[in-house]
Amino acid sequence: MFAALLKDGYSQLSAYERKRLKNITENAKFFAALKLHESAARLNQIATKRRPHVTKRAKPKKAEDETVRRRSMRLQRVEPSGIPTLEGSAQPEAEEYPQVPAGPLPMVPEGEMENSKLAEDLLATWMRISEMKADDTEKRTRDMKRYQESLNSMVLSEDNIKKVVKYRVCSMAIHPSESIIFVAAGDKSGQIGLWNVNCKSEGAHVFVPHNYLVSCMHFSPFNPAHLLSLSSDTLRCGDVTRAVFDEICRSEENFSSFDFLEDTASTAIVGHWDGNVAIVDRRTPGTSSELSADIGFKRTRTVHVHPVNKQYFIAAGSVDVCIYDVRYLKSNRNKPVSSLKGHTKSVASAYFSPVTGNRVVTVCADDKLRVYDTTSLSTVAVLSTISHNSNTGRWLTRFRAIWDPKQEDCFVVGSMAQPRQIEVFQDTGELLHSFYNLDYLGSVCSINVVHPTQNILVGGNSSGRLHVFKE
DNA sequence: ATGTTATGACCCC
DNA sequence: TGGGGTCCCTAACA
């Protein structure tokens, strides 16, 4: 093992290490200048501060709160000076609320100013596994019997459970490496936890590149040393080779999700909570989006690009689920290529199947999972409807059904069922498998991610804990 | 009517 | 006792 490492390019590795250390040193100065650690400490303090004991939902304080009633938490926390109507009103928390500053942020772990050696090792691992040429094994869809066997072989052990972020998991991403299981989880408060599942000593470390809920994350398929993360006000790219979280774009609108438009991952489509979608080019950081298009949605919760014909993308939000052609997007009055009908309540997610894009699975608050046949994008039809309790209630992240990237016709979704489990369905609507473990899985995993080439499933719950099922 | 948004109760050391 | 960790139902409001 170690011999292989030596042979593989030990000298190269140390060169990277040197480069990294240099970056870290430079960043430390930057960090000090920003006094980010002070803000971070205050964030911690405020975040842990208990609110007064109330049995019912606090009633709005009439007139003074009225103006902000309909705004998002993000907007409510905007600097008080920005909202003249709040001037002089008692909103101490809003004033104290610390902000992660705009622009590039050093990739320094939270609350580990002194002993950050282990976090250094973790980042070095991320960089090393990103240098390795990915095995170009084709994504192959196995026959159902073999697939089921592989699912049966995946188990959860005590070692493969870890709390990696403080609050509930809102998004996850898994590194494509086949030698190390490396996972990123984003939480409600803007934290991103990175975890090397294979190495107990390196463990998990937390970074805070965002102020608000991290709704969507992807490692760049072109360069997995880049981790893109989206929060309501920023899209960032964590670049481990430079030890920086760059800012790709920032907006006053609420970002909700994004996806890459091509294999080079240089442009992305970004969904806005208020309905619009935008095209963003990563190569021109700091500039605003190239195009903002009104697709006629009240909300846009998820966007996903077709895996083969990348000019198409699917958007979901409120009760609308539509497919659009990005080539014909204009600023307003966009007509969808097709519309996926039948949802009677708000839709939590809609994703294309991974290899052909011939299927779409949606999760809806009407307690149904729907699979659509999208072989012909102009004539989309429902293929199957599955009853599934999606009432996650007040404290849980809503379920999103995600396809297994290795298996064209099967998807994974969290469940409210007891004992707690993560379910795998076939596009026909058949329940193929339930991942559960009476000893170690005692909570609902709302967010799940499957490794692109290996039999690995990670489930994230609403207290920041990840569970890794593997062979 | 419908979609969105909040944060309490319990257990354990 | 009390604070931190952990889990997750529903109900007001626009």
Side-chain angles (χ1 to χ4, degrees):
Chain A
M1 182 80 166
F2 187 60
L5 184 68
L6 282 170
K7 207 171 70 180
D8 254 22
Y10 176 77
S11 55
Q12 221 182 9
L13 179 69
S14 58
Y16 282 120
E17 287 281 20
R18 278 197 298 275
K19 186 178 162 197
R20 248 193 73 76
L21 281 173
K22 186 162 165 279
N23 283 326
I24 296 286
T25 318
E26 281 168 11
N27 285 331
K29 293 175 197 159
F30 180 43
F31 184 79
L34 289 173
K35 303 206 164 129
L36 185 63
H37 57 289
E38 286 177 18
S39 310
R42 275 167 61 204
L43 173 63
N44 245 335
Q45 226 175 8
I46 290 161
T48 52
K49 199 192 290 174
R50 285 276 166 216
R51 282 166 182 278
H53 203 76
V54 282
T55 46
K56 281 189 177 178
R57 182 185 184 179
K59 282 184 183 166
K61 276 171 274 169
K62 288 290 160 186
E64 66 172 20
D65 268 11
E66 217 56 59
T67 52
V68 293
R69 196 72 211 132
R70 300 186 59 192
R71 289 166 183 265
S72 66
M73 288 303 282
R74 181 178 75 87
L75 290 174
Q76 285 185 52
R77 283 164 176 170
V78 145
E79 289 96 320
S81 59
I83 308 170
T85 50
L86 282 180
E87 215 171 5
S89 72
Q91 289 256 327
E93 288 205 17
E95 274 172 46
E96 284 174 32
Y97 199 85
Q99 298 279 317
V100 170
L105 293 170
M107 197 177 279
V108 179
E110 170 77 357
E112 303 179 39
M113 290 303 286
E114 304 301 315
N115 184 16
S116 59
K117 173 75 174 74
L118 294 174
E120 282 300 307
D121 292 346
L122 181 80
L123 294 177
T125 299
W126 176 9
M127 195 158 69
R128 178 168 52 83
I129 60 181
S130 301
E131 283 299 319
M132 292 175 177
K133 197 77 189 143
D135 238 353
D136 253 352
T137 42
E138 265 178 53
K139 286 183 208 162
R140 68 202 183 285
T141 296
R142 289 156 288 189
D143 67 69
M144 213 40 69
K145 191 168 167 236
R146 289 200 50 193
Y147 183 58
Q148 242 169 341
E149 282 169 9
S150 75
L151 295 175
N152 283 323
S153 72
M154 294 160 65
V155 293
L156 176 67
S157 70
E158 196 175 4
D159 289 342
N160 295 328
I161 302 172
K162 196 173 189 72
K163 187 176 173 93
V164 302
V165 280
K166 187 156 186 182
Y167 300 103
R168 70 203 209 191
V169 177
C170 298
S171 56
M172 273 202 292
I174 187 162
H175 192 284
S177 166
E178 298 189 339
S179 54
I180 297 285
I181 305 175
F182 191 84
V183 194
D187 84 351
K188 193 178 151 56
S189 72
Q191 296 190 347
I192 292 179
L194 300 177
W195 180 25
N196 176 355
V197 182
N198 296 90
C199 179
K200 232 177 177 156
S201 64
E202 280 176 20
H205 298 270
V206 168
F207 300 81
V208 191
H210 295 286
N211 283 308
Y212 312 99
L213 188 152
V214 183
S215 53
C216 189
M217 280 199 297
H218 296 291
F219 283 98
S220 162
F222 186 67
N223 177 7
H226 291 174
L227 172 66
L228 286 98
S229 58
L230 186 79
S231 184
S232 55
D233 62 347
T234 41
L235 173 61
R236 286 189 181 272
C237 175
D239 179 351
V240 70
T241 63
R242 290 167 43 244
V244 164
F245 288 100
D246 280 318
E247 186 173 304
I248 293 170
C249 66
R250 172 174 289 272
S251 170
E252 279 303 307
E253 302 192 61
N254 278 283
F255 295 143
S256 56
S257 68
F258 76 96
D259 195 17
F260 302 113
L261 280 163
E262 9 63 13
D263 293 327
T264 56
S266 51
T267 57
I269 184 153
V270 182
H272 290 173
W273 185 234
D274 304 314
N276 291 7
V277 297
I279 311 293
V280 170
D281 195 325
R282 287 178 52 193
R283 292 162 299 191
T284 54
T287 60
S288 56
S289 47
E290 307 284 294
L291 168 75
S292 182
D294 180 356
I295 56 171
F297 276 28
K298 204 160 73 181
R299 297 271 184 250
T300 299
R301 200 182 285 270
T302 62
V303 292
H304 188 224
V305 174
H306 193 287
V308 181
N309 302 309
K310 290 180 174 284
Q311 70 269 30
Y312 296 113
F313 70 91
I314 188 163
S318 193
V319 296
D320 302 309
V321 182
C322 292
I323 297 167
Y324 294 87
D325 188 327
V326 77
R327 294 170 303 179
Y328 302 131
L329 278 187
K330 31 193 201 301
S331 60
N332 53 33
R333 291 175 182 276
N334 288 285
K335 286 185 93 172
V337 176
S338 61
S339 160
L340 282 63
K341 298 196 192 306
H343 304 97
T344 61
K345 290 194 172 182
S346 88
V347 180
S349 69
Y351 298 121
F352 282 114
S353 61
V355 183
T356 66
N358 286 346
R359 299 283 183 269
V360 164
V361 62
T362 64
V363 180
C364 184
D366 62 9
D367 285 346
K368 291 194 167 57
L369 309 176
R370 292 176 175 82
V371 180
Y372 291 82
D373 183 346
T374 49
T375 311
S376 160
L377 290 177
S378 52
T379 54
V380 173
V382 181
L383 196 70
S384 55
T385 305
I386 305 159
S387 287
H388 182 267
N389 181 6
S390 301
N391 189 5
T392 41
R394 190 175 179 181
W395 290 295
L396 303 194
T397 305
R398 289 181 72 180
F399 295 142
R400 291 176 217 158
I402 50 130
W403 296 94
D404 184 335
K406 302 178 292 300
Q407 190 74 16
E408 169 66 9
D409 49 2
C410 296
F411 61 88
V412 177
V413 64
S415 170
M416 297 297 285
Q418 292 273 14
R420 298 308 183 192
Q421 52 200 278
I422 301 167
E423 296 167 336
V424 184
F425 288 93
Q426 200 178 346
D427 59 359
T428 56
E430 189 190 342
L431 177 66
L432 275 182
H433 188 79
S434 287
F435 288 100
Y436 64 94
N437 183 307
L438 298 176
D439 296 320
Y440 301 129
L441 182 62
S443 59
V444 175
C445 287
S446 292
I447 298 295
N448 300 288
V449 67
V450 182
H451 192 280
T453 56
Q454 297 190 308
N455 293 322
I456 295 162
L457 164 72
V458 188
N461 77 4
S462 289
S463 56
R465 190 177 293 275
L466 305 192
H467 308 74
V468 182
F469 286 84
K470 57 190 273 265
E471 284 182 317

